[in-house]
Amino acid sequence: MRRGTDTTRSRRPAAGLVALILAVAAMMIGHGPAQAAPAAPAGRASAATVDLSRWMGDMHGYLDDRPLNRIAMPGSHDSGSWSIPADPGLCTSGWSYNAASLDPRLAASISRSQSGSLTDQLDEGARYLDLRLCFEGGQWRTFHGAPMGGAFFDDVSGEAASVERWVAEHPSEVVVISVSLTAPAGADTKEPLTRLRDLFGSRVATRTDLSPASTYGDFVKAGKNVVLIDSSAAVDEPWAWHADSVSDRGSYPAGDPSWWEILKAFFNGSPPQQIYDQTLSLNQAALARDPGADTGRFFVLSSIVQPDLQIPQLFLIRLLSPFFPASVRDNYLMYLASGLNPQLLTKLRTDWRAPDLARNVNIVAIDDLGHRPQGDLQRAVIDINTATGRTT
């Protein structure tokens, strides 16, 4: 036993000497080539770090064989409303014109639901645009309810041309554009859709060749990265996809309450959390619902604020305007969205990432989509594509 112990002891100094010699040699000749970190599989970039302006192309390994209506993608609600000014002109054919005409500034405050331009929204990850156009004063302008924003096709300031350039520069990004129109009797409601089709040219997908259930790879290989949805049924052409190609599965909050309902909510107290709970409850039910006949359609989960019941509170805020910041007084809908979106983010990262709900996530329509640190809300949507049961 002693011999074995002595031998072990005699080896320790020798081993230490060898280690010392090797260390000195390494210092003299350098450490050799660094070991590269293992590369991610091609087309499987991380949602946490992916460039939001080209996330589809960078994550194509997850998406190539997946139907477009089975890809989780951020979308923006009332996308063009970002350009509505504080004291807006009103769309006379808009559904809320009569109410908005009583106080256009108040109407603008609950109509502006985005803070960045359409191309900003695309750069921030949106692949669904909810584009609403009103024909007023001889021009098609973006609007929401009644308050109007910019002239959409204007040669100088219009956004149509900039969106076309973005689409041409991002051939791997498939953008779904839902176009809703309102106009006085006698106006040519085919014009804006036809002009959009002419702008995007051969990039517009036709519903006779592709469908919501066609794969992302099918769209890209065909060079078709724009889907134009004619939500107003103005055009009957193969490139104008029918409104029934989209469903919200009951997730859109009920709108246009009566004045009695608004006053009742005011006197009973209608704090924003009640609005948030309504939105998240509708979303949860829609995700849990079996798609049924909606299997072949795009699914837009309307994760948005319905501010109508808050009109009396906003009216009081405007009366007491010196005591409230402009971010609340003049951008009330986005103020409400700033309370909903963190809760939406939590749901996307936890409850809705569960396989039984995550499998149903497609387009998630968001108010104030880009006003989040490092795009965490968009990234949480995109990351659903990597969830268990969705990878290809």
Side-chain angles (χ1 to χ4, degrees):
M1 292 294 293
R2 180 175 294 176
R3 180 176 298 173
T5 302
D6 291 343
T7 304
T8 301
R9 287 176 180 171
S10 67
R11 286 174 181 171
R12 285 175 181 165
L17 181 59
V18 171
L20 179 60
I21 293 171
L22 290 174
V24 173
M27 292 176 63
M28 293 177 65
I29 64 176
H31 297 289
Q35 295 295 316
R44 288 179 177 257
S46 165
T49 59
V50 73
D51 183 340
L52 291 174
S53 71
R54 60 184 191 198
W55 67 266
M56 282 184 154
D58 287 353
M59 298 181 72
H60 72 87
Y62 292 107
L63 310 179
D64 279 346
D65 299 324
R66 191 172 299 167
L68 199 60
N69 67 352
R70 295 270 294 145
I71 293 174
M73 63 180 84
S76 61
H77 172 235
D78 273 297
S79 310
S81 65
W82 74 273
S83 63
I84 294 173
D87 193 7
L90 299 180
C91 172
T92 54
S93 57
W95 65 267
S96 67
Y97 172 73
N98 290 334
S101 62
L102 299 175
D103 190 338
R105 295 183 68 89
L106 184 148
S109 187
I110 58 172
S111 295
R112 195 182 304 105
S113 61
Q114 302 296 332
S115 56
S117 69
L118 296 181
T119 51
D120 287 341
Q121 294 166 38
L122 292 168
D123 279 337
E124 290 159 358
R127 296 297 175 266
Y128 171 85
L129 298 179
D130 171 21
L131 180 62
R132 308 188 187 194
L133 300 176
C134 164
F135 190 71
E136 190 73 28
Q139 291 182 307
W140 289 99
R141 309 182 73 91
T142 55
F143 86 110
H144 181 190
M148 295 187 301
F152 187 64
F153 294 103
D154 186 81
D155 291 337
V156 177
S157 61
E159 289 193 275
S162 61
V163 172
E164 186 278 327
R165 285 192 297 272
W166 192 96
V167 166
E169 293 167 359
H170 296 79
S172 65
E173 309 304 300
V174 181
V175 181
V176 180
I177 305 177
S178 176
V179 185
S180 303
L181 307 171
T182 186
D188 181 5
T189 54
K190 295 182 179 181
E191 181 191 5
L193 281 153
T194 301
R195 291 180 71 170
L196 283 171
R197 189 279 314 268
D198 292 344
L199 266 177
F200 295 122
S202 63
R203 296 190 177 280
V204 177
T206 57
R207 53 185 164 79
T208 50
D209 295 324
L210 295 163
S211 76
S214 297
T215 68
Y216 163 79
D218 289 338
F219 279 86
V220 173
K221 288 174 185 175
K224 309 293 184 182
N225 66 330
V226 178
V227 176
L228 287 178
I229 297 176
D230 177 15
S231 296
S232 299
V235 178
D236 186 16
E237 296 287 349
W239 49 264
W241 294 44
H242 293 156
D244 63 6
S245 62
V246 179
S247 171
D248 64 28
R249 296 186 200 167
S251 66
Y252 201 96
D256 200 18
S258 67
W259 283 107
W260 167 244
E261 290 173 313
I262 292 173
L263 289 174
K264 185 170 67 173
F266 175 65
F267 287 112
N268 290 341
S270 179
Q273 188 57 46
Q274 291 184 15
I275 297 175
Y276 306 153
D277 289 344
Q278 178 201 35
T279 296
L280 297 175
S281 176
L282 289 173
N283 283 186
Q284 182 93 14
L287 288 171
R289 190 171 294 122
D290 189 301
D294 289 340
T295 300
R297 299 172 179 168
F298 293 113
F299 168 35
V300 178
L301 185 72
S302 297
S303 301
I304 62 175
V305 176
Q306 172 50 269
D308 290 1
L309 294 180
Q310 291 281 297
I311 290 175
Q313 284 87 340
L314 176 56
F315 183 72
L316 287 178
I317 288 171
R318 289 197 56 75
L319 286 178
L320 302 172
S321 59
F323 301 98
F324 291 90
S327 59
V328 176
R329 182 184 67 244
D330 297 333
N331 293 284
Y332 195 62
L333 193 154
M334 287 193 286
Y335 161 72
L336 293 176
S338 70
L340 171 64
N341 286 349
Q343 299 180 46
L344 172 61
L345 175 64
T346 299
K347 285 288 188 180
L348 287 163
R349 288 177 169 171
T350 56
D351 297 352
W352 298 351
R353 193 176 167 81
D356 58 332
L357 298 184
R359 69 172 184 266
N360 287 335
V361 178
N362 183 204
I363 297 163
V364 182
I366 301 167
D367 285 323
D368 205 10
L369 170 132
H371 203 198
R372 295 287 305 166
Q374 291 78 51
D376 59 357
L377 184 52
Q378 303 95 293
R379 294 181 191 280
V381 175
I382 294 167
D383 193 46
I384 295 289
N385 293 304
T386 70
T388 302
R390 289 184 67 101
T391 54
T392 55

